[in-house]
Amino acid sequence: MGPKNDIVIGAVSGYDWAHVEPWARSLVATEFTGVAVVIVYDRDHRGDVVARNLESLGLYAVRMPLRGSVYNTRFADIADVLRTFARSVRFVVVTDVRDVYFQTDPVTWLESNLKRPFLAVGEAVRYSDEEWNRDNLQRSFPAQTGRLRSTVVRNVGVLAGRVDMMADLCLAVSLIAESTGRPIADQSAYNLLLDMEPYRSAVQLVASEDGFACPAGTLGDPDKVATLRPFLLEPEPILAAEGVQTAGGKLYPIVHQYDRVPEWHRALLSRLQSVPVADAQDVCRSMPDDPFSKRARSPSSRAGLARVLADVDGASILHVAHSFGIPRARSSIPLYSPVPDSPSSSDGSSDAP
């Protein structure tokens, strides 16, 4: 087996390229050397534009239909991608896309600081003291509100860890969130899992001051921080010449919900490198009618996942690879080995009745 790769992955629905561009450009600017993937749910012209521009930056788009709420179901689809290539992946960073900005390569932080299978980023406030999370938990899992009331809220918009743990964690978040019947239950589902074994023993609880991801929604948003300040459990981050930092001066690799802080928003966007991308008319002219044509599946100049610009029937990534002529016994590039179609569990049990 070749060297392990790393993946940064997110999903988008209903977003124009302008919403995705800061995520993509900022990650490229960090010189991240792994594979960056965006699941693009829009199967229309808008999705074509996003996919084509991701490609122009050397990133990868996976096209599939949205089967329910993007907040809940994206995690099951992310899990599918991760399981497909798990044997050749080391670290995974799962993020929101519209409101995430990368200042440095997040994998560098993980290499030096990750001590457990995965980490969870805190919002520096307890459930009992923050209205949105408290109300979302009450609507999603009313019987569990007492259990989580005194715990620190962990944000589901930035997850990171080893690929095996991350794949199953993402699937678990999706399954539990979907069970509520509510369209936005992902964060409550995630926090409930974190308070349950085995996740409670496997997670590394990361504070804002640890310097991995800045929770700007609670520690930076001027519309909220004044009200929350008496309840905040950590000092507020700062904007310095180098970028957004912890109060102790550590530069965050990831700034989450940066767009809620106007000063940060302006400063960070001004740092983005100018990289030519296709406009809407260019995409109309350049996208092939057949998504599996030679042009659509031409290899990237960058090592990593095979470039996938369409998944016409919404099947798994393995099916897409098969559509490209790759046998199901192999992954989308020879370096990778897929997880077996019917793996047995470690204790020898199976799903058979």
Side-chain angles (χ1 to χ4, degrees):
M1 183 189 302
K4 292 283 187 177
N5 218 327
D6 304 301
I7 289 183
V8 173
I9 184 168
V12 296
S13 175
Y15 291 156
D16 294 321
W17 172 243
H19 300 117
V20 180
E21 186 176 15
W23 185 95
R25 286 187 188 272
S26 65
L27 182 59
V28 169
T30 70
E31 300 184 354
F32 169 68
T33 59
V35 177
V37 180
V38 178
I39 296 173
V40 180
Y41 287 117
D42 296 297
R43 298 166 70 83
D44 54 9
H45 179 69
R46 172 166 52 191
D48 293 342
V49 172
V50 170
R52 187 73 177 114
N53 282 327
L54 287 168
E55 182 182 41
S56 74
L57 292 173
L59 311 185
Y60 301 86
V62 172
R63 306 293 292 276
M64 60 177 65
L66 181 59
R67 300 170 296 280
S69 161
V70 66
Y71 297 96
N72 298 341
T73 61
R74 59 178 166 154
F75 288 103
D77 293 329
I78 288 170
D80 280 343
V81 175
L82 299 182
R83 281 197 303 272
T84 300
F85 302 101
R87 291 187 178 180
S88 292
V89 173
R90 179 183 55 164
F91 293 130
V92 175
V93 181
V94 179
T95 75
D96 290 347
V97 173
R98 182 191 58 79
D99 59 0
V100 164
Y101 187 103
F102 297 93
Q103 299 190 120
T104 64
D105 183 348
V107 169
T108 301
W109 192 98
L110 296 175
E111 289 174 332
S112 300
N113 297 284
L114 186 68
K115 308 303 181 186
R116 293 194 174 189
F118 76 106
L119 61 78
V121 179
E123 292 194 353
V125 67
R126 293 187 175 88
Y127 262 98
S128 58
D129 299 322
E130 204 281 315
E131 182 179 10
W132 187 91
N133 280 288
R134 185 175 62 245
D135 291 349
N136 184 262
L137 178 62
Q138 176 63 41
R139 290 191 299 268
S140 303
F141 303 99
Q144 305 301 324
T145 55
R147 176 174 186 158
L148 297 183
R149 179 177 175 79
S150 63
T151 63
V152 176
V153 177
R154 305 290 163 178
N155 198 296
V156 78
V158 177
L159 317 177
R162 294 192 331 228
V163 64
D164 52 352
M165 176 63 75
M166 292 299 297
D168 282 346
L169 174 63
C170 286
L171 178 59
V173 169
S174 181
L175 293 174
I176 294 181
E178 285 288 304
S179 75
T180 68
R182 301 195 61 83
I184 306 177
D186 53 338
Q187 182 141 309
S188 292
Y190 176 57
N191 279 268
L192 184 57
L193 282 171
L194 294 179
D195 199 54
M196 301 170 65
E197 297 292 356
Y199 298 107
R200 183 165 55 189
S201 295
V203 67
Q204 179 175 335
L205 300 177
V206 174
S208 171
E209 283 298 293
D210 290 327
F212 178 66
C214 175
T218 51
L219 286 178
D221 183 350
D223 292 333
K224 294 184 66 175
V225 73
T227 301
L228 289 176
R229 192 167 283 126
F231 308 104
L232 294 178
L233 304 174
E234 297 190 65
E236 297 163 34
I238 59 174
L239 176 64
E242 296 78 11
V244 179
Q245 301 179 350
T246 68
K250 297 178 182 177
L251 185 68
Y252 295 100
I254 298 172
V255 185
H256 186 206
Q257 298 172 333
Y258 70 96
D259 56 336
R260 299 190 186 188
V261 190
E263 183 183 8
W264 296 8
H265 191 199
R266 290 190 297 269
L268 293 179
L269 292 189
S270 70
R271 295 168 177 267
L272 292 178
Q273 297 179 7
S274 177
V275 181
V277 294
D279 62 22
Q281 291 183 345
D282 290 337
V283 173
C284 288
R285 291 192 293 266
S286 64
M287 288 297 288
D289 294 332
D290 176 7
F292 298 117
S293 69
K294 181 177 180 180
R295 175 170 182 155
R297 64 176 188 265
S298 61
S300 168
S301 60
R302 190 175 172 189
L305 296 173
R307 191 173 306 285
V308 179
L309 292 180
D311 179 2
V312 294
D313 61 0
S316 69
I317 308 306
L318 279 176
H319 180 81
V320 177
H322 183 61
S323 299
F324 288 150
I326 304 297
R328 287 187 63 85
R330 293 171 56 194
S331 68
S332 56
I333 61 174
L335 173 64
Y336 290 166
S337 299
V339 176
D341 287 340
S342 301
S344 59
S345 62
S346 59
D347 62 359
S349 63
S350 70
D351 294 332

